[in-house]
Amino acid sequence: MKHPIIGIDLGTTNSEVAVVQGGRAQILDVDGAKLLPSVVGLDDEGALLVGQSARNQYTLFPERTIRSVKRRMGEDAHLPMGDQSYRPQEISALILKRLKSAAEQHLGQPVEKAVITVPAYFSDAQRQATRDAGELAGLEVVRIINEPTAAALAYEADHQGARTILVYDLGGGTFDVSVVRMTGDVTEVLSSHGNNQLGGDDFDARLIEHVLAHLRETQDVDARENHGALARIQRAAEAAKITLSDAPYARIDEEYLLEHQGRPLNLSMEIERGEYEDMIAEFIDETLEAVHIALKDAGLSVADLDEVLLVGGATRTPLIQRRLEEVLGMPPRAEVNPDLCVAAGAAIQAAVIGGDQVASVLVDVTPYTFGTSALGELDGMPYPHVFVPVIRKNTPLPTTKSEAFQTIVDGQSQIDVHVYQGEDADALNNTEIGAFRIEGLGDVPAGNVIVMTYALDVNGILEVTAREKRTGLEKAITINNATARFEADELDAARTRLSALIDGEAEVVVDGAAAAPIDPEISERREVVQARALAEKAERLMSTATAEDKEDLVNLIESVKDALSDNDIPALERTVTELSDLVYYLES
Ligand code: AMP
């Protein structure tokens, strides 16, 4: 490489360095990892620590450790560290220096130039301080670019036509949302809004409070006073938060957390995803308000957006993705690793400045959604084959996701698990790629929790495990070639298979963990299943209906049942429509 220009994301929590090689952006390892914690410190002997080692000592020795220096850039501040104090630019320069030498090691040659990203809201003084930090680190900063612009470049390096993109960036300690317009070679930030005191660290703080309250209530202990214990709780809280992005429960187990009344105290608790989501809901609401403000400032509405991109580690939180999809009406894109896409975009910009050809960032993602089926509601009616996605389309690979389900009858001893690939809300319209039965479940009341785990690797091998949470009893299957794309004739074959299934020629067993007892009777098409469910629902309404409505209900339920027993599909459709109208009326 002639004169490599590196791309740097100098972040509040973590920093990354990337370079374009062979036309593609590559994130480089620094100390064996892609993310370098943006933390600088001095050890016991006064030696410099940058990155993970500095981060590790932060809670114990805050007086000789500096983190989140990005928040102070552009201020005339003197930050104490050990016996001395340092300007924000100097501390940032130490981080940049570490990134520079990692790049030099990787490329085997000196690096003197960089593109560095900054938040769109950074003032001139903050941008200048960033340039100065670069120079102190021995880097000529050939360009400062906005983080949302870099993210858009990472997704759309080879874009065509004009696009309006919303970039939602939630990192460890900062949040911002920007509306970016890409037209040909010009990328422009139309508006940007946010809160530079909001991020994943606030989610950790809520979990820490929750753990401390648990210790107070169950052990009558205030762990706040004990620095060592607090540091362990902090670390465990962040780990639990990350687990809850992929699983419905997270355990926190810390042995000998502290000594209390002369005895060692162990911390052992479980946090449920729903409980955690309630803790952080207000933060998410605040970010969604910012989304609307940014759109308003850009003079646009939701309908003008072509794409929503996620940036920042905290956007892996499923609640964020769900709420954004609800509000914006399209699934946000997160295929380019949200921690790394700003650095990748900076490297792409650097390559363009250096006159190199670049393609967009290539990532392995699943082209399909995978999930199971369970009893739920479809079109407002109870339906036993509702598709429950577990791994969603475009998730980067490898990935492991789990979801919790519950049995619905007392003493349910077995469950048939069906594994589907597809996007339809009705599982029967998707392709079934595997099935298995888990038997020997405990003789307990309905509500027995079964955790389903889907692990999909880059080779398309999908392993599905069903596990009884109480006992750990589990059963798994492995499905090869889960992500193999259908060829045209395979697609036809699949369609035929599906229509056979829908026409009731193939046996369909009531599915899924949430599903009912295995009932071999139910092997008909969707209309039949729905009609039965509707008739049952109508029967339940009888007790509260007026005499007149009751008579109508009885007549219509009878007509539906007659149509069912005569297998008269046109009559069934007609009577189901009438009955569902009446049920709708009675329920509203
Ligand atoms: P960033 O500043 O973009 O590196 O983001 C760092 C923040 O993302 C920290 O608060 C991390 O704890 C958080 N984070 C990283 N991975 C996940 C995850 N899988 N789920 C939720 N938060 C995460």
Side-chain angles (χ1 to χ4, degrees), residues 241-286:
K241 170 186 78 174
I242 289 172
T243 301
L244 287 167
S245 286
D246 296 327
Y249 305 94
R251 285 208 62 78
I252 295 186
D253 287 303
E254 294 287 327
E255 277 191 21
Y256 304 118
L257 180 68
L258 46 83
E259 215 175 81
H260 181 53
Q261 293 166 348
R263 271 181 312 168
L265 186 149
N266 300 331
L267 168 65
S268 176
M269 64 188 292
E270 185 178 76
I271 299 166
E272 197 197 320
R273 188 190 269 167
E275 197 183 0
Y276 165 64
E277 289 184 340
D278 289 343
M279 294 178 209
I280 61 165
E282 63 174 294
F283 296 127
I284 319 269
D285 287 342
E286 187 189 327

Side-chain angles (χ1 to χ4, degrees), residues 2-23:
K2 29 184 201 357
H3 295 295
I5 309 177
I6 54 175
I8 292 179
D9 172 4
L10 184 59
T12 309
T13 316
N14 296 300
S15 297
E16 299 88 36
V17 57
V19 68
V20 169
Q21 276 189 305

Side-chain angles (χ1 to χ4, degrees), residues 13-14 16 35 170-172 200-201 204 238 241-242 245 312-314 316-317 338-339:
T13 316
N14 296 300
E16 299 88 36
L35 303 181
L170 188 66
D201 297 349
D204 298 350
E238 186 184 8
K241 170 186 78 174
I242 289 172
S245 286
R316 293 204 183 83
T317 310
D339 297 306

Side-chain angles (χ1 to χ4, degrees), residues 57-125:
Q57 72 159 28
Y58 177 77
T59 356
L60 293 174
F61 307 110
E63 68 287 353
R64 50 178 155 94
T65 318
I66 297 177
R67 63 171 193 175
S68 304
V69 65
K70 187 172 179 176
R71 293 191 200 285
R72 312 301 300 272
M73 292 292 272
E75 283 178 28
D76 186 16
H78 296 268
L79 312 172
M81 180 169 72
D83 305 333
Q84 307 238 356
S85 66
Y86 300 84
R87 307 287 304 277
Q89 296 90 313
E90 295 173 308
I91 300 299
S92 290
L94 295 170
I95 298 168
L96 290 172
K97 241 189 158 121
R98 178 58 60 90
L99 298 171
K100 175 180 185 277
S101 59
E104 288 174 336
Q105 221 172 5
H106 173 85
L107 296 167
Q109 68 181 111
V111 171
E112 279 147 13
K113 294 182 179 181
V115 168
I116 303 182
T117 60
V118 296
Y121 60 78
F122 252 29
S123 65
D124 282 347

Side-chain angles (χ1 to χ4, degrees), residues 525-541:
R525 44 195 285 175
R526 180 171 153 189
E527 283 91 335
V528 174
V529 178
Q530 282 200 342
R532 286 215 180 118
L534 179 67
E536 277 171 26
K537 188 168 181 178
E539 275 165 357
R540 284 199 297 277
L541 284 173

